[in-house]
Amino acid sequence: MDHFCYHNGVLHVEDVSVEAIAAEVGTPFYVYSRATLLRHYEVMRDALSGTDSLVCFAMKANSNKAVLSVLAAAGAGVDVVSAGEMHMALAAGFPANRIVFSGVGKTRAELEAAVRAGIHQINVESENELYTLAEVARGLGKRAAIAFRVNPDVGVDTHEKIATGRKENKFGIDWERIVPLYQLASGMPGIDVKGIGVHIGSQILDLVPFRRAFERVRDLVATLRASGLKVERVDLGGGMGIPYRRNINDQVGPEPRDYGALALEHFRGMGLQVICEPGRLIAGNAGMLVSRVVYIKKGETRTFLVLDAGQNDLIRPTLYDAYHEIIPVHQADAGAPLLPFDVVGPVCETGDTFARQRRLPPLEEGDLVAFATAGAYGAVMSSTYNGRPLVPEVLVSGDRMAVVRRRPTLEEMTALESVPDWL
Ligand SMILES: *Cc1c(COP(=O)(O)O)cnc(C)c1O
């Protein structure tokens, strides 16, 4: 969090005051720190530098073009989950040979786009996807580089909506099916089998499930090779957890260095390219959502802090019961009391509640607050529910700032809609 600090009592992103950004673009808005994005990518890259490796940013965490450009220019790869994301990744400057395409429901059209683009790897998640892809590739007279995503049946201690590595989850191919399928694919024209992949879930705060998954993958590589099959790559997925609460030690995720060491322990010296797909780890703590207090509403039993940001702007609290630190943009006085607030948005849903009985320093109407750790799964999951325009996104680097996605006008919001002439 060191690029989000108070200077002279005002929260800054790198060298730019959050108050100055608010004055220029209006609230709410997302703001990202380029230095933080770069640092997180570099830490991960360096953690894997003991072997041939590729860190592919999982862009579903944050797909802003400027954010992607920062990472593309730094040499990162990217993990995409739709043809739309692939298009955005190419537009942001990622070369095709650093793009990995994941996802359980890629359509024929999406596979065709990926084969045409000649991307690094398509992670195949089912037998029928393999057949469709083989057909598509042959039709185009091209070869598709693939990895099979296996379901390692490893449970993780995270929110059930973001656990992906159990048999009962929709993701990956069952363990028992992999060897015959790999064999079959190795003989298919149009298919170039490169290896296997896993992704066991998200916001994982403990290395143990990663260790179990890596062990299973390593065993599988050995089994495949013993059957005379070529395995050149392993894709370890993403999922590394990050601290959402400051000052609570058991909420701190694994250090990228330790994750990297674990990966190297399992795969170094095996003639493999090691791919990983961190999303949250790179973008989470690189962004904040800034909002203004509209009203302070004193109820009989509690005080509501009504913000101008709502669940449509940041859905994680209501979707996953996620916790975000809420930080006053103007630093509270040293001895200021902490008072319990229910922090809510303006959306007409009871679920539009960011925090209940959160202890915050005294705040007044018009004050600015920032939701920390909102750089991943924040802006990308926002909607226009309640007729609320998507909020602007701002990128800061040193003392420079730029609006990297502007707020749409109300006319633009309705521009795609029409009324049929028979009405
Ligand atoms: C979501 C996802 C990721 C990124 O997960 P994080 O928890 O953000 O690191 C990586 N790979 C795949 C296949 C995913 O679905």
Side-chain angles (χ1 to χ4, degrees), residues 353-413:
T353 297
F354 293 113
R356 291 194 173 81
Q357 298 296 288
R358 181 72 62 88
R359 298 178 70 79
L360 297 170
L363 285 161
E364 291 175 15
E365 292 176 1
D367 283 352
L368 294 167
V369 294
F371 289 88
T373 322
Y377 307 106
V380 281
M381 289 182 122
S382 58
S383 77
T384 58
Y385 186 41
N386 276 211
R388 294 165 49 80
L390 296 185
V391 307
E393 293 172 85
V394 173
L395 182 70
V396 167
S397 179
D399 61 2
R400 285 176 301 183
M401 66 155 274
V403 176
V404 292
R405 183 192 165 95
R406 68 171 173 79
R407 197 187 305 278
T409 64
L410 297 180
E411 288 69 33
E412 284 168 330
M413 277 182 69

Side-chain angles (χ1 to χ4, degrees), residues 166-193:
R166 294 307 300 268
K167 272 201 166 113
E168 53 272 29
N169 300 133
K170 68 180 177 181
F171 298 101
I173 296 169
D174 285 341
W175 199 256
E176 304 72 35
R177 287 291 304 141
I178 288 291
V179 176
L181 205 56
Y182 203 104
Q183 210 138 25
L184 175 74
S186 296
M188 277 181 163
I191 297 291
D192 194 1
V193 199

Side-chain angles (χ1 to χ4, degrees), residues 58 60 79 102 149 199 201-203 237-240 277-280 377:
K60 75 173 192 281
D79 175 49
S102 302
R149 174 166 173 186
H199 173 70
S202 197
Q203 186 55 12
M240 266 161 291
E277 305 167 347
R280 192 187 310 271
Y377 307 106

Side-chain angles (χ1 to χ4, degrees), residues 334-358:
L338 295 179
L339 310 169
F341 286 102
D342 277 20
V343 184
V344 303
V347 171
C348 298
E349 295 275 349
T350 305
D352 187 23
T353 297
F354 293 113
R356 291 194 173 81
Q357 298 296 288
R358 181 72 62 88

Side-chain angles (χ1 to χ4, degrees), residues 321-344:
D321 301 312
Y323 180 99
H324 285 270
E325 292 283 348
I326 299 170
I327 303 169
V329 168
H330 282 266
Q331 193 166 23
D333 297 335
L338 295 179
L339 310 169
F341 286 102
D342 277 20
V343 184
V344 303

Side-chain angles (χ1 to χ4, degrees), residues 186-398:
S186 296
M188 277 181 163
I191 297 291
D192 194 1
V193 199
K194 294 293 189 187
I196 50 182
V198 283
H199 173 70
I200 55 177
S202 197
Q203 186 55 12
I204 300 167
L205 291 167
D206 178 2
L207 279 179
V208 171
F210 288 116
R211 177 179 286 280
R212 263 191 251 125
F214 294 0
E215 276 166 6
R216 298 212 72 177
V217 168
R218 185 176 56 187
D219 290 350
L220 191 51
V221 172
T223 306
L224 291 165
R225 285 180 169 173
S227 319
L229 296 162
K230 225 164 74 178
V231 185
E232 298 166 52
R233 301 177 193 163
V234 289
D235 181 340
L236 305 179
M240 266 161 291
I242 59 169
Y244 279 86
R245 293 170 195 253
R246 303 201 263 187
N247 312 322
I248 299 187
N249 284 330
D250 64 344
Q251 286 282 328
V252 173
E255 288 291 329
R257 175 170 10 100
D258 297 333
Y259 174 94
L262 189 69
L264 294 182
E265 177 193 324
H266 285 79
F267 302 108
R268 182 164 36 197
M270 292 176 67
L272 292 165
Q273 180 186 48
V274 176
I275 298 172
C276 71
E277 305 167 347
R280 192 187 310 271
L281 180 87
I282 288 177
N285 273 318
M288 286 187 169
L289 171 66
V290 179
S291 178
R292 201 179 284 281
V293 178
V294 182
Y295 293 114
I296 295 188
K297 178 171 165 177
K298 287 202 190 336
E300 212 144 276
T301 56
R302 38 189 71 193
T303 302
F304 294 96
L305 199 65
V306 185
L307 303 181
D308 64 0
Q311 65 169 55
N312 68 299
D313 304 310
L314 178 65
I315 204 170
R316 299 190 67 258
T318 192
L319 185 61
Y320 307 131
D321 301 312
Y323 180 99
H324 285 270
E325 292 283 348
I326 299 170
I327 303 169
V329 168
H330 282 266
Q331 193 166 23
D333 297 335
L338 295 179
L339 310 169
F341 286 102
D342 277 20
V343 184
V344 303
V347 171
C348 298
E349 295 275 349
T350 305
D352 187 23
T353 297
F354 293 113
R356 291 194 173 81
Q357 298 296 288
R358 181 72 62 88
R359 298 178 70 79
L360 297 170
L363 285 161
E364 291 175 15
E365 292 176 1
D367 283 352
L368 294 167
V369 294
F371 289 88
T373 322
Y377 307 106
V380 281
M381 289 182 122
S382 58
S383 77
T384 58
Y385 186 41
N386 276 211
R388 294 165 49 80
L390 296 185
V391 307
E393 293 172 85
V394 173
L395 182 70
V396 167
S397 179

